[in-house]
Amino acid sequence: MSRCTTVSRSLDEPVSGTAATAATWLLLEQPGPWGARALTSSHLDPALGRALEAAAEGTGVRVALVRRPGRHADPGRPSVRHVYAAHCVPGDVWLHSATTRDPYALLDLDLAGLGAGDPRSFGTVLGGRPHPDGPLALVCTNGKRDRCCALLGRPLADELSASGEHDVWEVTHLGGHRFAPTVLVLPYGYAYGRADVHTVEAALRGAREGRVVLDGCRGRSAWERPGQAAELAVRSTAREDAAGALSVVRTEGGAPRWQVTVAHADGRRWRVTVVQGASLPPRPESCGAAVLGTPARMDVVAVREVRPTALAS
């Protein structure tokens, strides 16, 4: 039986503009098994999971669970859990870490502040500090959401961990099962699809140096999908890999056509036309889908560098 990843790859479905959106990621360590909706179907108290989901709504914060690669037999409630917060918006990128014995303390965080790029409550509530090590690699492995994430993601997480990459975690959900293995690299928030060890290792090296690796890149989570596709197109056109160089400063229009303005830190600007299309022929969007779908795709049809005076016209 064909898996959704096999079909997507065989149809050469583009990955650009498919990343999950979040200005800030809040990650809580939760060992043991995960259900399809892990915040409320794991060994985390489901009442806490529901409260975190509700608190994050509309703040720009995405909450996810993480665990170390390896076997997932339940070891009992962990006495100390790792917690991470990462803000991914250019000009204010940071990654902070903490540990806690009380996961309910996360309810005392100012999630609106975290979503806006203010890490102070993370320090006040959890004693969080800037993460002293390198970037994080989060590999989606939640087979209860889609079996491809487990079949392809877990071996990748294990191989990365065995290669000596210290900050590799399994994560509950990054979206886009059909692009498994899917990986998110923090703090910059660039997601990758159909990833392999070499791609992720290159992405981590790049992140340590403040660079973006474009191979297999789905987009930066700080932007909505049209902005993700537009930014990647400008990077390719301008041959720009500095993570902090580009920002999406304006998005005009609506589905199925947008005009996206991408600005460079040096003052250059581009106007990018992005058109939403349907991926044909119909295919399974996930292995559990009962019907075939035509997932939306972000097609960049024009990239034009513009002078500042042209932007006002």
Side-chain angles (χ1 to χ4, degrees):
M1 182 177 181
S2 295
R3 300 196 300 261
C4 64
T5 53
T6 304
V7 176
S8 176
R9 188 185 293 269
S10 69
L11 294 174
D12 199 24
E13 183 180 354
V15 302
S16 175
T18 66
T21 57
T24 301
W25 291 81
L26 179 62
L27 310 170
L28 172 64
E29 184 178 7
Q30 177 57 56
W34 296 333
R37 295 183 61 87
L39 279 174
T40 55
S41 56
S42 68
H43 289 181
L44 184 72
D45 182 350
L48 173 58
R50 285 191 293 271
L52 286 171
E53 286 180 330
E57 186 71 28
T59 66
V61 176
R62 189 178 180 106
V63 184
L65 303 181
V66 295
R67 64 190 176 196
R68 288 296 190 186
R71 295 178 60 85
H72 303 132
D74 187 7
R77 292 185 178 180
S79 58
V80 177
R81 301 169 188 253
H82 289 82
V83 188
Y84 297 94
H87 189 61
C88 307
V89 179
D92 190 23
V93 171
W94 47 260
L95 171 62
H96 288 202
S97 59
T99 58
T100 184
R101 295 180 180 274
D102 179 16
Y104 294 88
L106 273 66
L107 295 177
D108 294 327
L109 293 172
D110 175 10
L111 294 188
L114 288 177
D118 183 352
R120 286 179 294 179
S121 72
F122 195 77
T124 302
V125 174
L126 298 173
R129 295 290 185 271
H131 187 52
D133 298 322
L136 305 184
L138 310 177
V139 184
C140 185
T141 63
N142 191 349
K144 293 297 185 182
R145 288 197 71 101
D146 192 284
R147 62 176 178 158
C148 284
C149 295
L151 291 172
L152 301 175
R154 287 180 185 169
L156 175 61
D158 289 342
E159 191 172 354
L160 285 167
S161 182
S163 74
E165 294 290 354
H166 174 67
D167 275 331
V168 175
W169 294 85
E170 298 186 8
V171 68
T172 47
H173 184 47
L174 296 177
H177 320 294
R178 63 194 183 278
F179 302 124
T182 60
V183 179
L184 178 71
V185 176
L186 296 176
Y188 296 111
Y190 284 96
Y192 293 84
R194 304 183 186 125
D196 58 28
V197 169
H198 299 297
T199 297
V200 179
E201 288 180 337
L204 287 169
R205 284 195 303 272
R208 293 185 188 103
E209 299 166 358
R211 297 184 297 102
V212 181
V213 171
L214 295 184
D215 184 28
C217 192
R218 300 174 61 192
R220 189 170 193 158
S221 73
W223 317 129
E224 297 294 331
R225 292 185 62 185
Q228 294 173 15
E231 189 226 24
L232 292 180
V234 171
R235 286 193 177 280
S236 179
T237 299
R239 298 183 179 180
E240 178 58 77
D241 68 353
L246 299 181
S247 294
V248 174
V249 297
R250 184 182 307 162
T251 301
E252 301 170 291
R257 190 180 185 90
W258 297 266
Q259 295 292 334
V260 181
T261 302
V262 178
H264 196 288
D266 65 10
R268 287 178 292 165
R269 293 197 171 198
W270 292 262
R271 183 169 286 161
V272 184
T273 304
V274 182
V275 175
Q276 179 177 304
S279 297
L280 295 171
R283 79 284 307 276
E285 295 188 51
S286 67
C287 289
V291 297
L292 300 182
T294 53
R297 52 185 287 168
M298 297 290 119
D299 293 320
V300 173
V301 298
V303 179
R304 181 168 61 93
E305 187 172 354
V306 294
R307 298 182 181 275
T309 53
L311 293 170
S313 61

